[in-house]
């Protein structure tokens, strides 16, 4: 068996991080050990993201940088994976000649076989087929030692075709994992010490659509709620159009389900939501948020917003700002619209100039910072349950953890508290974290 080093560089979302973990597990079986030094590696994989142009540029420039290592080490194997690899296929070799391996998002399970073929035959391998079964999501990747929290993919792909988004083209049709496989993985995670799971999918609310025996998302989280050893459940991402009353009620009914939902709105303008093909109106979105808050007072609501989508006028933008003022998100991921090849939005008229997009984004972020700060200040004096995750980065006397509502709290405490749930009285709310004292 080999005893070689593997270096993986991951770009983009949590789904990619999870895919990289699975790659590492598969390659461990053929003798590759992870290193964080690319110069030491015999195999380098770059797991890419293509959601926005900036991510694409970063991945290619990193590939170019790492290719230089081949000059001193001609046996080094370099592989290009993920959404960009899916999109570019064999055309990657035209852009960066000496890449050995290009494989797409459905081909992770074939990695050992592909690496062996490159090693033995020194030929280029390109594998970007889509399959109608889930392969790689069922590979168990043990969490890093000491992890209290872990992501669990419950589905792959997406069928929503939002006009701006490449995911349905690059990750394929939506497919859900069998609930037994998911619960089995969560049980194994608890045996490794994990207490909190985040169920992961592009649209978790439509989980189960393609399953023969019928298990929807609420039934799935109810099963997770019954797993001994699991103390907290989270999920991401929820599509507003599929957010059911059943799921809203689950926040009141399932004790382990944490009081936080990431519910991307994308825009506050009905005209733009329609052009984006999101399938809900601003009024319907606000109504769902109101129901969530009625069922679960204090629930934290976070979101994604895109500014400068083709055709977005200053009136549409103002409607997004009005929506933010009305809802007051706990925090927000906000992006300038980035045109992606092959998406419906590429053909839309009314491109917004870059400078205008930049200004809209900046103004929106200033407003969100004000809301986040106000929300965090409002928690001063309240007692929060914190799962202690580790020592604080800022002070050796402090530990850090998260509230059920997903906010970071730092407080004085010994490392013996790590892994425990404790009550902390919040003394100060900052923009990015809270400060408190143990009760
Ligand atoms: N499936 C999730 C959903 O529907 O909310 C999110 C998927 S995507 C990885 C995360 C976020 O990236 C989206 O919510 C959207 O705000 C943003 N995004 C996707 N495509 C984009 C594009 N072409 N330009 C700018 N932002 C984009
Ligand atoms: Fe992309 Fe829309 Fe699917 Fe989310 S729901 S992954 S934004 S197509």
């Amino acid at each position: 068996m080999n005893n070689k080093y593997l270096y993986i560089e991951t770009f983009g979302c949590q789904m990619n991080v999870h895919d990289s973990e699975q790659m590492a597990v598969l390659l461990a079986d053929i003798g590759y050990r992870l290193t964080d030094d690319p110069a030491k590696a015999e195999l380098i994989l770059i797991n890419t993201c293509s959601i926005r142009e900036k991510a694409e540029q970063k991945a290619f420039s990193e590939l170019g940088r790492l290719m230089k290592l081949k000059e001193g080490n001609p046996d080094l194997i370099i592989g290009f994976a993920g959404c960009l690899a899916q999109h570019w296929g064999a055309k990657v070799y035209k852009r960066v000649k000496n890449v050995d391996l290009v494989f797409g998002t459905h081909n992770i399970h074939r990695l050992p076989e592909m690496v062996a073929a490159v090693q033995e035959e020194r030929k280029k391998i390109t594998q970007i087929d889509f399959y109608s079964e889930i392969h790689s999501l069922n590979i168990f990747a043990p969490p890093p030692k000491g992890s209290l929290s872990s992501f669990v993919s419950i589905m792959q792909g997406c069928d929503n075709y939002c006009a701006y988004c490449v995911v349905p083209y690059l990750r394929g049709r939506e497919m859900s994992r069998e609930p037994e496989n998911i619960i089995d993985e969560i049980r194994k995670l608890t045996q490794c010490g994990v207490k909190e799971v985040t169920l992961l999918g592009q649209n978790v609310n439509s989980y189960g659509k393609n399953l023969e025996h019928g298990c929807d998302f609420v039934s799935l989280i109810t099963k997770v709620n019954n797993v001994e050893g699991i103390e907290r459940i989270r999920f991401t991402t929820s599509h507003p159009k599929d957010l059911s009353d059943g799921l809203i009620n689950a926040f009141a009914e399932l004790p382990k389900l944490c009081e936080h939902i990431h519910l991307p709105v994308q825009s506050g303008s009905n005209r733009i939501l329609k052009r984006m093909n999101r399938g809900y109106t601003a009024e319907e979105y606000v109504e769902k948020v109101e129901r969530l808050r009625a069922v679960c007072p204090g629930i934290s609501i976070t979101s994604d917003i895109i500014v400068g989508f083709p055709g977005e006028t200053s009136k549409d933008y103002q409607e997004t700002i009005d929506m933010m003022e009305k809802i007051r998100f706990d925090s927000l991921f906000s992006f300038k619209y980035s045109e992606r090849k092959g998406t419906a939005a590429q053909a839309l008229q009314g491109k917004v100039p870059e400078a205008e997009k930049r200004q809209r984004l900046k103004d929106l972020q200033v407003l969100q910072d004000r809301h986040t700060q106000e929300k965090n200040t409002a928690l001063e004096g309240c007692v929060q349950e914190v799962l202690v995750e580790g020592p604080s980065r800022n002070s050796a006397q402090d530990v850090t953890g998260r509230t059920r509502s997903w906010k970071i709290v730092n407080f004085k405490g010994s490392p013996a508290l790590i892994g425990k749930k404790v009550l902390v009285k919040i003394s100060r709310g900052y923009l990015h974290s809270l400060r408190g004292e143990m009760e």
Side-chain angles (χ1 to χ4, degrees), residues 91-226:
K91 283 187 282 177
V92 171
Y93 307 125
K94 286 204 177 125
R95 190 159 167 175
V96 187
K97 205 168 74 214
N98 287 332
V99 178
D100 300 283
L101 178 61
V102 173
F103 62 102
T105 51
H106 277 207
N107 288 276
I108 295 169
H109 64 292
R110 302 189 58 185
L111 194 49
E113 161 204 335
M114 292 188 280
V115 169
V118 175
Q119 260 171 353
E120 282 156 27
E121 301 164 42
R122 291 310 308 183
K123 66 172 188 190
K124 291 188 188 303
I125 303 271
T126 313
Q127 201 49 265
I128 55 167
D129 293 341
F130 277 142
Y131 305 101
S132 54
E133 303 103 61
I134 289 183
H135 288 290
S136 57
L137 291 192
N138 291 327
I139 301 162
F140 179 66
K145 213 164 165 249
S147 299
L148 293 167
S149 183
S150 197
F151 287 89
V152 176
S153 280
I154 61 165
M155 57 211 292
Q156 69 180 22
C158 181
D159 286 349
N160 284 315
Y161 293 94
C162 298
Y164 47 83
C165 183
V166 286
V167 169
Y169 307 98
L170 302 181
R171 288 198 170 261
R173 301 305 303 264
E174 183 181 293
M175 277 186 272
S176 300
R177 280 175 78 188
E178 291 292 340
E180 296 73 31
N181 290 340
I182 297 169
I183 298 298
D184 188 45
E185 175 171 340
I186 294 175
R187 285 213 182 93
K188 284 187 189 145
L189 288 169
T190 62
Q191 284 155 17
C192 303
V194 165
K195 298 186 172 181
E196 174 182 279
V197 282
T198 304
L199 308 178
L200 206 57
Q202 295 296 350
N203 176 10
V204 292
N205 299 345
S206 65
Y207 171 83
K209 250 179 19 199
N210 68 318
L211 291 175
E212 269 179 26
H213 313 296
C215 171
D216 65 6
F217 187 55
V218 176
S219 315
L220 179 71
I221 38 176
T222 308
K223 287 180 201 287
V224 180
N225 196 72
N226 293 335

